Amino acid sequence: MSELIVGIDLGTTNSELAVVRDGQVQLVPIHGNPIMPSCVGLDPAGRLIVGQTAKNQLVAAPESTILSIKRKMGETIKVPLGDRQFSPEEISSFILRELKLEGEKFLGQPIRKAVITVPAFFNERQRQATQVAGDLAGLEVVRILNEPTAAALAYGGGATADETMLVYDLGGGTFDVSVVQVEKGVVEVKASHGDTHLGGDDFDQLLVDFAVQEFKKRHQVDLLGKPPTLRRLKVALERAKRTLSDEPFVAVREEYLDGERHLELELERHIYEEMILPLLEKTLECIHKSLADVKLTPAAIQKVMLVGGATRTPLVQRLLQERMRLEPRFEINPDLIVAMGAAVQAGMIAGEQRHSILVDITPHTFCTTAISRSEHHSLICVPIIPRNTPLPTSKSEVFATVGDNQDSVNVQAYQGESIWPQENTFIGDFLISGLSKVPAGNQVVLSMALDLNGMLKVTATEKATGLSKSVTMDTRGKVALNIEDARRNIAGLIDLDAIPGESAPEEEVEEEAGKGADHETLLTTAKDLRKRAEALLTRNISEDDANEIRDLVHQSADAIAKRDWEALGQQNDALSDVLFYLED
Ligand code: AMP
């Protein structure tokens, strides 16, 4: 067995630990979660607390809690924690020690060695400080690895051909972009640019400013100068910001925000996007600079990898596509990619084989149709779930009716990358009717949820009234399926006498002849069981039992349709058992 070396992403906001086991990269849960806030504190009894527990007391006890110590690494300073003082290395060592202890608990063996990642822009002092923090935590730091290199390794960089990649890393507090080149298996950061004061925290601040203005307009109360209120507001708006990555708007309600009045605010994604656009444009400038450093154009980039929680902002992905013609990859969770890459590097040092990271993603974009705002008013496809999104996923966009008193909308779902519906694959459609009779512009929220089995649930909701309709569609090439219709179908409408498979196609008759009698018996049994099941479903049985019966009847019909006699035998047995217990 190879030696155990773990990979650690010691991040500004969060830290993670990963390891290669049985050829696979595995994230190690820390306090039950793959992500641990890089937060250190002292509890009221003066005991050291690390991670989420420390973060929980951040608002209530800021003087006894430290977040973002990474920004101070390499500085010869002491930071106060309660009535004590610590160096940045010491604080970081508390974080590393917690990761080590939790990792040992999970893996059931001591952890002595680690690869720890640092930003590409970290200077020698900052790297040494990280090494010292590792030593203090009882870890031999076998390699300090650049974060963009780790990201490239996580995406299999260097595994096959030479490649040029761009790593776009937008975290809570910092942004950096790196050009990473792989040549003959060596992964190297060629250029790196960034802004150490640009990140998701700034987006939160813009939302806070907006909310403060709105509160003042509505209540003539200025929240500025009230730090505890502003901290509370920031926590609420950070949460809302995350929601805006998946939903077109979010309602924020904070009761008694100033002790007397509630904050009630609706944030719309497109307004939020206007707020953060200037900041994101700065990140595009950094990309241009780093490409210019190595005399490359965007066309020379083969892969763009997204790192950092704030890259979940849809506008980030859109700007990269539309302005830079770069197709970003986000199959690997941007919060975890660096730790995973560190684990790949650790595994390589420990002599493990090269590993791939498995992720379930959708290889196609799922879109709906809408009338374009251009002068031609053409019907175009609007992406809801972009391709390469990890599964399961759920995304929403808002649309508006085009006609006055329009009381229905035909919702269509397509799969494909084209803007033109006819060039994509049609998946299904349905009509939502009974919408309010109001002037054009009535907002309808269209949500798509795609599960690991390729089932797409499309929901249209009239925003003003909540009127909603959902249809589940099978994206694997079958016909659209209305859940309610399907339920009814399963419960009573499957006509076994008409099910294909009862009479085998001619060319197979001979081969099947000997088995015909067995099949006949299985089919007769299935028919009898279905009749008993239908009778039972009309009686007062529990919803769970009814669902189980419907499932079994459905699976039995499926087995008959596929002429899978072995499965039919099993379904018959299972259904017979259930009926036996439920029939009196
Ligand atoms: P990191 O430093 O990589 O952990 O990134 C943390 C930043 O990502 C914080 O500003 C978070 O608010 C932000 N973030 C996390 N999840 C999302 C999301 N779903 N949408 C937008 N920002 C997010």
Side-chain angles (χ1 to χ4, degrees):
M1 207 172 77
S2 60
E3 184 185 22
L4 176 68
I5 307 179
V6 298
I8 293 178
D9 172 7
L10 182 60
T12 310
T13 326
N14 296 303
S15 295
E16 298 85 25
L17 183 142
V19 67
V20 171
R21 283 216 300 194
D22 303 327
Q24 285 298 318
V25 176
Q26 188 178 17
L27 260 305
V28 173
I30 310 295
H31 310 132
N33 201 320
I35 294 172
M36 182 185 84
S38 303
C39 197
V40 173
L42 291 179
D43 73 6
R47 279 180 306 238
L48 185 73
I49 44 175
V50 180
Q52 191 59 50
T53 336
K55 196 172 174 191
N56 291 346
Q57 70 163 30
L58 187 64
V59 175
E63 66 297 332
S64 304
T65 320
I66 294 180
L67 187 67
S68 307
I69 192 65
K70 188 169 172 178
R71 289 173 183 277
K72 305 261 185 314
M73 287 296 265
E75 292 181 30
T76 36
I77 51 159
K78 293 273 184 190
V79 288
L81 183 63
D83 51 10
R84 303 191 51 185
Q85 304 269 329
F86 295 96
S87 69
E89 290 90 331
E90 287 164 341
I91 297 292
S92 294
S93 82
F94 296 145
I95 298 170
L96 290 171
R97 192 169 143 272
E98 192 70 17
L99 295 172
K100 173 174 148 69
L101 293 177
E102 283 289 296
E104 287 173 344
K105 249 195 262 169
F106 179 78
L107 297 169
Q109 65 184 109
I111 297 175
R112 298 201 176 90
K113 296 186 176 183
V115 168
I116 303 181
T117 56
V118 294
F121 61 77
F122 255 27
N123 60 28
E124 223 24 66
R125 261 176 104 118
Q126 292 167 306
R127 284 164 198 264
Q128 262 166 21
T130 308
Q131 185 110 27
V132 169
D135 289 349
L136 292 173
L139 288 168
E140 183 190 336
V141 184
V142 294
R143 181 84 45 96
I144 292 282
L145 183 69
N146 284 322
E147 287 162 8
T149 310
L153 286 172
Y155 270 102
T160 49
D162 292 353
E163 283 177 306
T164 304
M165 317 182 188
L166 195 81
V167 178
Y168 180 104
D169 183 349
L170 188 62
T174 59
F175 166 72
D176 55 279
V177 61
S178 307
V179 179
V180 180
Q181 226 155 36
V182 183
E183 255 176 42
K184 301 191 177 64
V186 178
V187 186
E188 200 185 339
V189 179
K190 288 288 187 189
S192 214
H193 272 276
D195 187 330
T196 48
H197 292 97
L198 196 168
D201 295 350
D202 301 293
F203 304 172
D204 302 344
Q205 191 53 49
L206 289 172
L207 287 174
V208 169
D209 295 345
F210 177 75
V212 166
Q213 274 173 23
E214 290 297 305
F215 199 81
K216 195 168 176 184
K217 255 192 247 162
R218 170 108 41 113
H219 302 296
Q220 289 76 49
V221 174
D222 197 347
L223 299 173
L224 291 177
K226 298 186 177 170
T229 308
L230 292 174
R231 274 200 293 272
R232 182 177 153 199
L233 201 52
K234 195 158 179 163
V235 171
L237 291 169
E238 195 267 347
R239 212 179 309 125
K241 172 189 78 173
R242 290 171 186 241
T243 306
L244 285 180
S245 290
D246 296 324
E247 309 283 337
F249 38 69
V250 58
V252 183
R253 183 178 161 85
E254 285 294 301
E255 295 194 341
Y256 304 108
L257 183 63
D258 67 338
E260 280 177 50
R261 285 153 285 248
H262 309 318
L263 170 83
E264 278 176 89
L265 198 65
E266 186 180 84
L267 297 172
E268 293 191 34
R269 188 198 284 163
H270 75 98
I271 294 182
Y272 167 63
E273 289 183 341
E274 280 167 23
M275 289 181 199
I276 62 170
L277 183 63
L279 295 179
L280 290 182
E281 277 175 335
K282 281 194 192 175
T283 71
L284 300 186
E285 280 166 31
C286 288
I287 299 183
H288 284 301
K289 278 191 204 147
S290 44
L291 286 174
D293 279 358
V294 281
K295 302 190 172 43
L296 290 177
T297 61
I301 300 294
Q302 277 126 351
K303 276 184 195 161
V304 179
M305 281 152 292
L306 299 184
V307 180
T311 59
R312 291 212 177 83
T313 313
L315 185 60
V316 166
Q317 297 159 22
R318 243 181 27 240
L319 286 177
L320 288 170
Q321 279 161 340
E322 288 170 9
R323 301 266 190 96
M324 311 286 299
R325 302 260 167 256
L326 293 171
E327 180 80 24
R329 306 271 301 254
F330 47 94
E331 300 96 292
I332 303 181
N333 184 330
D335 300 313
L336 308 178
I337 178 171
V338 169
M340 287 171 136
V344 171
Q345 175 73 68
M348 277 153 56
I349 297 172
E352 292 265 356
Q353 296 300 306
R354 188 171 274 285
H355 313 276
S356 60
I357 291 172
L358 294 179
V359 273
D360 266 308
I361 53 150
T362 159
H364 307 287
T365 297
F366 288 93
C367 31
T368 191
T369 46
I371 310 250
S372 83
R373 289 206 186 121
S374 73
E375 55 185 293
H376 305 296
H377 301 301
S378 341
L379 193 68
I380 54 163
C381 275
V382 181
I384 308 287
I385 300 178
R387 75 158 173 244
N388 289 341
T389 302
L391 300 181
T393 184
S394 165
K395 304 266 179 205
S396 307
E397 292 290 344
V398 69
F399 295 87
T401 51
V402 284
D404 291 343
N405 299 321
Q406 183 178 336
D407 63 355
S408 67
V409 171
N410 183 32
V411 178
Q412 301 188 315
Y414 280 85
Q415 171 182 301
E417 314 312 315
S418 174
I419 186 177
W420 305 117
Q422 60 275 23
E423 291 175 6
N424 290 331
T425 308
F426 176 72
I427 296 180
D429 65 348
F430 64 88
L431 193 75
I432 175 165
S433 45
L435 300 175
S436 315
K437 296 204 170 162
V438 289
N442 185 13
Q443 289 188 313
V444 176
V445 180
L446 197 275
S447 306
M448 287 188 172
L450 187 62
D451 74 8
L452 284 164
N453 303 316
M455 300 305 288
L456 181 74
K457 184 174 174 193
V458 184
T459 307
T461 310
E462 184 180 33
K463 191 176 168 223
T465 60
L467 173 85
S468 168
K469 181 163 178 181
S470 276
V471 167
T472 296
M473 302 171 184
D474 192 334
T475 65
R476 297 161 302 177
K478 291 194 199 150
V479 286
L481 176 77
N482 179 309
I483 304 176
E484 291 313 319
D485 288 351
R487 284 225 174 92
R488 255 177 267 124
N489 239 355
I490 296 162
L493 298 180
I494 299 170
D495 183 358
L496 288 192
D497 298 321
I499 282 201
E502 288 223 52
S503 58
E506 265 176 36
E507 64 274 23
E508 290 174 32
V509 166
E510 208 175 316
E511 185 209 332
E512 299 267 305
K515 303 169 197 158
D518 291 352
H519 302 165
E520 218 34 62
T521 319
L522 284 170
L523 282 166
T524 312
T525 312
K527 254 187 239 180
D528 288 346
L529 288 168
R530 196 208 52 176
K531 284 200 181 106
R532 282 165 59 194
E534 280 171 8
L536 204 57
L537 284 169
T538 60
R539 292 182 15 213
N540 196 14
I541 59 170
S542 77
E543 190 55 25
D544 281 353
D545 290 336
N547 283 338
E548 189 177 0
I549 292 176
R550 287 185 191 117
D551 272 355
L552 288 168
V553 172
H554 182 60
Q555 284 162 22
S556 155
D558 210 39
I560 295 170
K562 290 182 189 147
R563 304 170 72 237
D564 183 343
W565 307 117
E566 197 182 331
L568 182 61
Q570 286 163 3
Q571 295 308 332
N572 281 352
D573 289 347
L575 188 55
S576 167
D577 281 353
V578 175
L579 295 177
F580 175 79
Y581 284 109
L582 293 176
E583 287 170 335
D584 46 28

